Amino acid sequence: MRRIAVLTGTRADYGLLRGLLRAIDADPDLELQIIATGTHLLDAFGRTETEIVADGFRVAASVPIWSATDSALGVAADVGAALPIFAEALATLDPDVLVVLGDRLEAFAATTAATILSVPVAHIHGGELTEGAMDDALRHSITKMAYLHFTSTEDHRRRVIQLGEDPDRVSFHGAPIVDALNAIELLPRADVESRFGIRLPEPTALVTFHPAVMDVAAPEALLDELLAGLLAVDGLHVVITGSNSDIGTADVRRRIEEFVASHPDRVDFVESFGQVGYLSTMSASALVVGNSSSTVLEAPVLGVPSVLIGDRQKGRPLARSVVIPHPERGAIADAVREALHAPAPNDRVAIFGTPGFASRTAQYLRDAVIPRPPRKKFHDLEENTRHER
Protein backbone atom coordinates (compact mmCIF):
# COMPACT_ATOMS: atom_id res chain seq x y z
CA MET A 1 0.00 0.00 0.00
CA ARG A 2 1.43 3.37 -1.05
CA ARG A 3 1.36 6.04 1.67
CA ILE A 4 0.29 9.49 0.39
CA ALA A 5 0.83 12.41 2.76
CA VAL A 6 -1.13 15.56 1.89
CA LEU A 7 -0.25 18.92 3.43
CA THR A 8 -2.96 21.48 4.16
CA GLY A 9 -2.28 24.79 5.87
CA THR A 10 -5.33 26.99 5.26
CA ARG A 11 -9.08 26.86 4.82
CA ALA A 12 -8.52 27.75 1.15
CA ASP A 13 -6.18 24.94 0.16
CA TYR A 14 -8.21 22.41 2.14
CA GLY A 15 -11.28 23.32 0.11
CA LEU A 16 -9.32 22.63 -3.07
CA LEU A 17 -7.80 19.40 -1.75
CA ARG A 18 -10.96 17.87 -0.26
CA GLY A 19 -11.89 15.95 -3.42
CA LEU A 20 -8.40 14.54 -3.80
CA LEU A 21 -8.35 13.52 -0.12
CA ARG A 22 -11.58 11.59 -0.63
CA ALA A 23 -10.28 9.92 -3.79
CA ILE A 24 -7.08 8.82 -2.04
CA ASP A 25 -8.95 7.67 1.05
CA ALA A 26 -11.34 5.58 -1.07
CA ASP A 27 -8.55 3.77 -2.96
CA PRO A 28 -7.71 0.43 -1.30
CA ASP A 29 -4.16 0.64 -2.64
CA LEU A 30 -3.47 4.02 -1.04
CA GLU A 31 -3.11 5.13 2.58
CA LEU A 32 -4.01 8.77 3.22
CA GLN A 33 -1.92 10.76 5.72
CA ILE A 34 -3.22 14.29 6.30
CA ILE A 35 -0.74 16.80 7.71
CA ALA A 36 -2.61 19.81 9.15
CA THR A 37 -0.58 22.94 9.79
CA GLY A 38 -0.64 26.73 9.43
CA THR A 39 -3.84 28.57 10.28
CA HIS A 40 -5.77 25.30 10.66
CA LEU A 41 -4.29 25.19 14.16
CA LEU A 42 -4.83 28.84 15.18
CA ASP A 43 -7.88 30.01 17.13
CA ALA A 44 -7.57 33.50 15.65
CA PHE A 45 -8.23 32.07 12.18
CA GLY A 46 -11.12 29.83 13.19
CA ARG A 47 -9.05 26.72 14.05
CA THR A 48 -10.27 25.05 10.86
CA GLU A 49 -8.64 21.70 11.63
CA THR A 50 -12.05 20.90 13.08
CA GLU A 51 -13.54 21.13 9.57
CA ILE A 52 -11.19 18.38 8.40
CA VAL A 53 -12.30 16.09 11.22
CA ALA A 54 -15.96 17.02 10.68
CA ASP A 55 -15.61 15.85 7.07
CA GLY A 56 -14.73 12.38 8.35
CA PHE A 57 -10.97 12.47 7.86
CA ARG A 58 -8.31 11.52 10.38
CA VAL A 59 -5.46 13.98 10.80
CA ALA A 60 -2.24 11.95 10.85
CA ALA A 61 -0.09 14.84 12.09
CA SER A 62 -0.83 18.32 13.45
CA VAL A 63 2.19 20.55 12.92
CA PRO A 64 2.01 24.00 14.58
CA ILE A 65 4.49 26.39 12.98
CA TRP A 66 3.22 29.98 13.31
CA SER A 67 3.93 32.24 16.25
CA ALA A 68 2.00 35.41 17.02
CA THR A 69 4.27 37.58 14.87
CA ASP A 70 3.52 38.83 11.37
CA SER A 71 6.73 40.81 10.77
CA ALA A 72 9.05 39.71 7.96
CA LEU A 73 11.80 38.87 10.46
CA GLY A 74 9.42 36.91 12.68
CA VAL A 75 7.89 34.97 9.78
CA ALA A 76 11.38 34.13 8.47
CA ALA A 77 12.26 32.77 11.91
CA ASP A 78 9.02 30.74 11.97
CA VAL A 79 9.82 29.20 8.59
CA GLY A 80 13.30 28.26 9.73
CA ALA A 81 11.93 26.74 12.93
CA ALA A 82 9.32 24.84 10.91
CA LEU A 83 11.90 22.80 9.00
CA PRO A 84 12.85 20.41 11.84
CA ILE A 85 9.19 20.16 12.92
CA PHE A 86 8.09 19.11 9.43
CA ALA A 87 11.12 16.83 9.13
CA GLU A 88 10.17 15.03 12.34
CA ALA A 89 6.57 14.59 11.20
CA LEU A 90 7.66 13.24 7.80
CA ALA A 91 10.20 10.91 9.39
CA THR A 92 7.45 9.52 11.63
CA LEU A 93 4.86 9.13 8.86
CA ASP A 94 7.42 7.92 6.29
CA PRO A 95 5.19 8.62 3.26
CA ASP A 96 5.99 7.41 -0.24
CA VAL A 97 5.08 10.85 -1.55
CA LEU A 98 4.15 14.24 -0.08
CA VAL A 99 1.46 16.25 -1.91
CA VAL A 100 1.57 20.04 -1.59
CA LEU A 101 -0.54 22.70 -3.27
CA GLY A 102 0.42 26.19 -4.34
CA ASP A 103 2.97 28.58 -2.99
CA ARG A 104 2.52 29.35 0.68
CA LEU A 105 5.39 29.42 3.15
CA GLU A 106 4.22 26.28 4.95
CA ALA A 107 4.27 24.39 1.63
CA PHE A 108 7.77 25.70 0.95
CA ALA A 109 9.03 24.68 4.40
CA ALA A 110 7.46 21.21 4.22
CA THR A 111 8.81 20.64 0.71
CA THR A 112 12.29 21.68 1.82
CA ALA A 113 12.14 19.21 4.71
CA ALA A 114 10.90 16.47 2.37
CA THR A 115 13.71 17.17 -0.08
CA ILE A 116 16.31 16.83 2.67
CA LEU A 117 14.72 13.52 3.75
CA SER A 118 14.52 12.27 0.12
CA VAL A 119 10.72 12.11 0.28
CA PRO A 120 9.31 12.62 -3.26
CA VAL A 121 7.03 15.64 -3.58
CA ALA A 122 4.01 16.05 -5.88
CA HIS A 123 3.16 19.71 -6.54
CA ILE A 124 -0.27 21.04 -7.53
CA HIS A 125 -0.69 24.44 -9.22
CA GLY A 126 2.92 24.85 -10.36
CA GLY A 127 3.96 27.02 -13.29
CA GLU A 128 1.66 29.90 -12.36
CA LEU A 129 2.52 33.57 -11.93
CA THR A 130 1.54 36.02 -9.19
CA GLU A 131 3.90 38.91 -9.70
CA GLY A 132 2.66 41.08 -6.85
CA ALA A 133 3.74 38.71 -4.08
CA MET A 134 6.70 36.60 -3.03
CA ASP A 135 4.57 33.60 -4.02
CA ASP A 136 6.30 33.34 -7.41
CA ALA A 137 9.68 32.64 -5.84
CA LEU A 138 8.18 30.14 -3.40
CA ARG A 139 6.09 28.38 -6.07
CA HIS A 140 8.97 28.00 -8.54
CA SER A 141 11.25 26.81 -5.72
CA ILE A 142 8.71 24.14 -4.80
CA THR A 143 8.54 23.15 -8.48
CA LYS A 144 12.30 22.61 -8.60
CA MET A 145 12.19 20.46 -5.45
CA ALA A 146 9.14 18.46 -6.55
CA TYR A 147 9.30 15.23 -8.55
CA LEU A 148 5.72 15.15 -9.88
CA HIS A 149 3.70 18.11 -11.15
CA PHE A 150 -0.06 18.54 -11.65
CA THR A 151 -0.80 21.83 -13.40
CA SER A 152 -4.08 23.71 -13.83
CA THR A 153 -3.61 24.75 -17.49
CA GLU A 154 -1.56 23.69 -20.50
CA ASP A 155 0.33 26.99 -20.37
CA HIS A 156 1.33 26.27 -16.78
CA ARG A 157 2.48 22.80 -17.82
CA ARG A 158 4.74 24.33 -20.48
CA ARG A 159 6.15 26.76 -17.93
CA VAL A 160 7.04 23.95 -15.51
CA ILE A 161 8.83 22.18 -18.36
CA GLN A 162 10.58 25.47 -19.15
CA LEU A 163 11.88 25.38 -15.57
CA GLY A 164 13.72 22.17 -16.49
CA GLU A 165 11.24 19.50 -15.43
CA ASP A 166 10.89 16.31 -17.48
CA PRO A 167 7.65 16.45 -19.54
CA ASP A 168 6.91 12.84 -18.53
CA ARG A 169 6.53 14.01 -14.92
CA VAL A 170 4.38 17.07 -15.67
CA SER A 171 0.65 16.47 -16.13
CA PHE A 172 -2.17 18.88 -16.97
CA HIS A 173 -4.91 17.60 -14.67
CA GLY A 174 -6.87 20.85 -14.48
CA ALA A 175 -7.65 22.99 -11.45
CA PRO A 176 -9.02 21.28 -8.32
CA ILE A 177 -11.65 24.01 -8.01
CA VAL A 178 -13.38 22.70 -11.14
CA ASP A 179 -14.04 19.42 -9.33
CA ALA A 180 -15.28 21.23 -6.25
CA LEU A 181 -17.68 23.42 -8.18
CA ASN A 182 -18.96 20.50 -10.22
CA ALA A 183 -19.76 18.42 -7.13
CA ILE A 184 -20.77 21.03 -4.59
CA GLU A 185 -24.38 21.65 -3.56
CA LEU A 186 -24.60 25.37 -2.89
CA LEU A 187 -26.69 26.66 -0.01
CA PRO A 188 -29.72 28.85 -0.72
CA ARG A 189 -29.30 32.54 0.10
CA ALA A 190 -31.56 32.34 3.16
CA ASP A 191 -29.57 29.40 4.56
CA VAL A 192 -26.28 31.30 4.15
CA GLU A 193 -27.73 34.31 5.96
CA SER A 194 -29.04 32.26 8.89
CA ARG A 195 -26.01 29.99 9.22
CA PHE A 196 -23.44 32.80 9.29
CA GLY A 197 -25.55 35.61 10.71
CA ILE A 198 -25.04 37.90 7.73
CA ARG A 199 -27.17 39.85 5.27
CA LEU A 200 -27.07 39.32 1.52
CA PRO A 201 -29.25 42.05 0.01
CA GLU A 202 -28.96 43.12 -3.61
CA PRO A 203 -26.31 44.17 -4.41
CA THR A 204 -23.72 42.53 -2.14
CA ALA A 205 -19.95 42.44 -2.67
CA LEU A 206 -17.99 39.52 -1.22
CA VAL A 207 -14.57 40.90 -0.24
CA THR A 208 -11.33 39.11 0.62
CA PHE A 209 -8.03 40.97 0.95
CA HIS A 210 -4.63 39.52 1.86
CA PRO A 211 -1.44 41.54 2.46
CA ALA A 212 1.20 41.15 -0.27
CA VAL A 213 4.59 42.68 0.45
CA MET A 214 5.54 43.08 -3.24
CA ASP A 215 2.30 44.70 -4.39
CA VAL A 216 1.95 48.10 -6.10
CA ALA A 217 1.51 49.79 -2.71
CA ALA A 218 1.72 48.94 0.97
CA PRO A 219 -1.06 46.51 2.02
CA GLU A 220 -2.65 48.96 4.44
CA ALA A 221 -2.72 51.70 1.78
CA LEU A 222 -4.32 49.38 -0.78
CA LEU A 223 -6.89 48.22 1.76
CA ASP A 224 -7.78 51.79 2.70
CA GLU A 225 -8.40 52.64 -0.96
CA LEU A 226 -10.43 49.46 -1.44
CA LEU A 227 -12.68 50.06 1.56
CA ALA A 228 -13.21 53.73 0.66
CA GLY A 229 -14.08 52.70 -2.91
CA LEU A 230 -16.67 50.23 -1.69
CA LEU A 231 -18.32 52.82 0.56
CA ALA A 232 -18.56 55.22 -2.38
CA VAL A 233 -20.95 52.87 -4.20
CA ASP A 234 -24.45 53.78 -3.08
CA GLY A 235 -26.56 50.89 -1.80
CA LEU A 236 -23.72 48.34 -1.88
CA HIS A 237 -23.66 45.86 1.00
CA VAL A 238 -20.27 44.33 1.89
CA VAL A 239 -19.39 40.93 3.34
CA ILE A 240 -15.70 40.64 4.33
CA THR A 241 -13.80 37.47 5.19
CA GLY A 242 -10.70 37.10 7.35
CA SER A 243 -7.25 37.52 5.77
CA ASN A 244 -4.46 34.95 5.60
CA SER A 245 -1.56 34.79 8.07
CA ASP A 246 0.81 36.65 5.75
CA ILE A 247 3.42 39.27 6.56
CA GLY A 248 1.56 42.40 7.64
CA THR A 249 -1.70 40.63 8.40
CA ALA A 250 -2.12 42.16 11.88
CA ASP A 251 -2.48 45.70 10.51
CA VAL A 252 -4.80 44.52 7.74
CA ARG A 253 -7.03 42.65 10.17
CA ARG A 254 -7.12 45.65 12.54
CA ARG A 255 -8.25 47.93 9.70
CA ILE A 256 -10.92 45.45 8.65
CA GLU A 257 -12.21 45.18 12.23
CA GLU A 258 -12.42 48.99 12.50
CA PHE A 259 -14.22 49.20 9.15
CA VAL A 260 -16.77 46.57 10.16
CA ALA A 261 -17.39 48.25 13.53
CA SER A 262 -17.77 51.68 11.92
CA HIS A 263 -20.34 50.60 9.32
CA PRO A 264 -22.59 47.97 10.94
CA ASP A 265 -25.49 48.93 8.68
CA ARG A 266 -23.54 48.13 5.47
CA VAL A 267 -20.88 45.58 6.43
CA ASP A 268 -20.79 42.01 7.77
CA PHE A 269 -17.70 40.00 8.69
CA VAL A 270 -17.10 36.23 8.68
CA GLU A 271 -13.71 34.87 9.71
CA SER A 272 -14.00 31.59 7.82
CA PHE A 273 -16.95 30.38 5.73
CA GLY A 274 -15.51 27.01 4.79
CA GLN A 275 -15.66 26.06 1.13
CA VAL A 276 -19.39 25.40 0.86
CA GLY A 277 -20.26 28.56 2.75
CA TYR A 278 -17.80 30.71 0.82
CA LEU A 279 -18.88 29.51 -2.61
CA SER A 280 -22.56 29.74 -1.64
CA THR A 281 -22.02 33.33 -0.50
CA MET A 282 -20.16 34.07 -3.72
CA SER A 283 -22.99 32.63 -5.81
CA ALA A 284 -25.49 34.80 -3.92
CA SER A 285 -23.36 37.96 -4.30
CA ALA A 286 -23.44 40.46 -7.13
CA LEU A 287 -19.65 40.51 -7.39
CA VAL A 288 -16.36 39.50 -5.74
CA VAL A 289 -13.78 42.14 -4.80
CA GLY A 290 -10.22 41.94 -3.45
CA ASN A 291 -6.94 40.25 -4.24
CA SER A 292 -7.72 36.64 -3.39
CA SER A 293 -7.19 33.97 -6.04
CA SER A 294 -10.95 33.43 -5.87
CA THR A 295 -11.37 36.60 -7.95
CA VAL A 296 -9.66 34.87 -10.90
CA LEU A 297 -10.53 31.20 -10.25
CA GLU A 298 -13.81 30.54 -8.46
CA ALA A 299 -15.69 33.69 -9.45
CA PRO A 300 -15.23 33.33 -13.23
CA VAL A 301 -16.11 29.63 -13.11
CA LEU A 302 -19.29 30.48 -11.18
CA GLY A 303 -20.06 33.29 -13.60
CA VAL A 304 -19.79 36.02 -10.93
CA PRO A 305 -18.01 39.25 -12.00
CA SER A 306 -14.99 40.29 -9.97
CA VAL A 307 -12.87 43.37 -9.30
CA LEU A 308 -9.20 42.54 -8.74
CA ILE A 309 -7.16 44.95 -6.62
CA GLY A 310 -3.39 45.34 -6.96
CA ASP A 311 -0.79 42.99 -8.42
CA ARG A 312 -1.10 40.01 -6.07
CA GLN A 313 -2.65 37.88 -8.85
CA LYS A 314 -0.80 39.53 -11.76
CA GLY A 315 0.31 36.92 -14.29
CA ARG A 316 -2.62 34.55 -13.82
CA PRO A 317 -4.94 33.90 -16.78
CA LEU A 318 -7.91 36.24 -16.54
CA ALA A 319 -11.46 35.82 -17.72
CA ARG A 320 -13.29 38.72 -19.35
CA SER A 321 -15.43 39.03 -16.22
CA VAL A 322 -12.42 40.20 -14.16
CA VAL A 323 -12.00 44.00 -13.95
CA ILE A 324 -8.66 45.47 -12.78
CA PRO A 325 -8.91 49.15 -11.80
CA HIS A 326 -6.14 51.54 -10.87
CA PRO A 327 -5.72 50.95 -7.11
CA GLU A 328 -7.34 54.24 -6.12
CA ARG A 329 -10.72 54.64 -4.43
CA GLY A 330 -12.42 56.50 -7.26
CA ALA A 331 -11.29 54.00 -9.89
CA ILE A 332 -12.24 51.10 -7.62
CA ALA A 333 -15.72 52.53 -7.11
CA ASP A 334 -16.12 52.96 -10.88
CA ALA A 335 -14.97 49.38 -11.48
CA VAL A 336 -17.48 48.06 -8.94
CA ARG A 337 -20.28 50.00 -10.64
CA GLU A 338 -19.15 48.67 -14.02
CA ALA A 339 -19.13 45.08 -12.73
CA LEU A 340 -22.57 45.49 -11.19
CA HIS A 341 -24.05 46.56 -14.52
CA ALA A 342 -22.07 44.20 -16.77
CA PRO A 343 -24.11 41.63 -18.72
CA ALA A 344 -23.92 38.05 -17.48
CA PRO A 345 -21.20 36.05 -19.28
CA ASN A 346 -22.44 33.74 -22.01
CA ASP A 347 -20.20 30.90 -20.90
CA ARG A 348 -18.10 29.76 -17.97
CA VAL A 349 -14.31 29.70 -17.97
CA ALA A 350 -12.92 26.47 -19.45
CA ILE A 351 -9.17 27.15 -19.39
CA PHE A 352 -8.84 25.31 -16.06
CA GLY A 353 -9.79 21.93 -17.49
CA THR A 354 -12.70 19.61 -16.96
CA PRO A 355 -13.99 17.86 -13.82
CA GLY A 356 -12.02 14.80 -12.76
CA PHE A 357 -8.89 16.33 -11.20
CA ALA A 358 -9.21 14.23 -8.03
CA SER A 359 -9.68 10.87 -9.76
CA ARG A 360 -6.96 11.57 -12.34
CA THR A 361 -4.48 12.63 -9.69
CA ALA A 362 -5.24 9.81 -7.24
CA GLN A 363 -4.86 7.23 -10.02
CA TYR A 364 -1.55 8.80 -11.08
CA LEU A 365 -0.25 8.77 -7.50
CA ARG A 366 -1.22 5.09 -7.24
CA ASP A 367 0.26 3.90 -10.54
CA ALA A 368 3.26 6.15 -11.23
CA VAL A 369 6.81 5.00 -10.68
CA ILE A 370 8.04 7.21 -7.84
CA PRO A 371 11.67 6.46 -6.97
CA ARG A 372 13.22 7.21 -3.63
CA PRO A 373 15.44 9.15 -3.60
CA PRO A 374 13.66 11.08 -6.37
CA ARG A 375 16.62 11.75 -8.66
CA LYS A 376 15.89 14.14 -11.51
CA LYS A 377 17.66 15.10 -14.71
CA PHE A 378 17.35 18.69 -15.91
CA HIS A 379 15.27 18.88 -19.07
CA ASP A 380 17.04 21.29 -21.43
CA LEU A 381 14.79 22.94 -24.00
CA GLU A 382 17.71 24.10 -26.16
CA GLU A 383 19.05 20.56 -26.40
CA ASN A 384 15.64 19.33 -27.57
CA THR A 385 15.48 22.11 -30.15
CA ARG A 386 18.87 21.10 -31.56
CA HIS A 387 17.74 17.50 -31.83
CA GLU A 388 14.58 18.54 -33.67
CA ARG A 389 16.63 20.39 -36.26
Side-chain angles (χ1 to χ4, degrees), residues 134-155:
M134 70 172 71
D135 300 356
D136 265 12
L138 299 174
R139 186 187 308 105
H140 300 330
S141 296
I142 293 171
T143 289
K144 290 310 302 174
M145 290 187 282
Y147 186 77
L148 299 175
H149 310 273
F150 307 121
T151 70
S152 61
T153 73
E154 283 286 5
D155 284 344

Side-chain angles (χ1 to χ4, degrees), residues 203-210 226 230 236-241 278-309 313 321-325 332 335-337 339-340:
T204 290
L206 176 61
V207 180
T208 302
F209 182 88
H210 304 302
L226 166 59
L230 293 170
L236 181 68
H237 189 74
V238 177
V239 175
I240 305 182
T241 72
Y278 183 72
L279 294 176
S280 299
T281 305
M282 179 182 293
S283 180
S285 299
L287 76 163
V288 177
V289 185
N291 64 1
S292 162
S293 61
S294 62
T295 59
V296 299
L297 285 174
E298 288 94 328
V301 176
L302 278 176
V304 179
S306 55
V307 176
L308 177 59
I309 307 300
Q313 303 300 332
S321 59
V322 181
V323 180
I324 308 177
I332 292 171
V336 169
R337 296 186 189 101
L340 287 174

Side-chain angles (χ1 to χ4, degrees), residues 3 86-87 90-91 94-98 110-122 145-147 370-376:
R3 294 184 298 277
F86 278 126
L90 290 169
D94 193 27
D96 295 297
V97 62
L98 169 67
T111 299
T112 302
T115 300
I116 294 170
L117 295 178
S118 295
V119 175
V121 173
M145 290 187 282
Y147 186 77
I370 308 177
R372 187 168 181 180
R375 296 178 60 185
K376 300 196 301 184

Side-chain angles (χ1 to χ4, degrees), residues 302-371:
L302 278 176
V304 179
S306 55
V307 176
L308 177 59
I309 307 300
D311 283 351
R312 188 171 185 266
Q313 303 300 332
K314 187 176 181 180
R316 290 192 188 273
L318 299 179
R320 286 177 294 179
S321 59
V322 181
V323 180
I324 308 177
H326 181 71
E328 175 271 326
R329 60 190 65 190
I332 292 171
D334 288 342
V336 169
R337 296 186 189 101
E338 176 187 342
L340 287 174
H341 295 96
N346 294 326
D347 54 1
R348 301 293 175 86
V349 175
I351 58 175
F352 298 111
T354 58
F357 166 85
S359 58
R360 288 189 288 268
T361 303
Q363 181 178 347
Y364 194 104
L365 291 170
R366 182 191 67 212
D367 298 337
V369 175
I370 308 177

Side-chain angles (χ1 to χ4, degrees), residues 176-200:
I177 189 60
V178 177
D179 268 14
L181 292 174
N182 184 64
I184 201 167
E185 184 174 343
L186 297 177
L187 302 171
R189 180 190 299 264
D191 288 0
V192 174
E193 290 178 317
S194 62
R195 177 177 297 189
F196 297 102
I198 61 174
R199 298 154 291 177
L200 292 172

Side-chain angles (χ1 to χ4, degrees), residues 150-170:
F150 307 121
T151 70
S152 61
T153 73
E154 283 286 5
D155 284 344
H156 298 152
R157 179 178 183 271
R158 285 190 287 270
R159 192 172 289 132
V160 170
I161 295 170
Q162 183 182 339
L163 287 168
E165 296 302 292
D166 187 333
D168 290 340
R169 294 184 281 101
V170 188

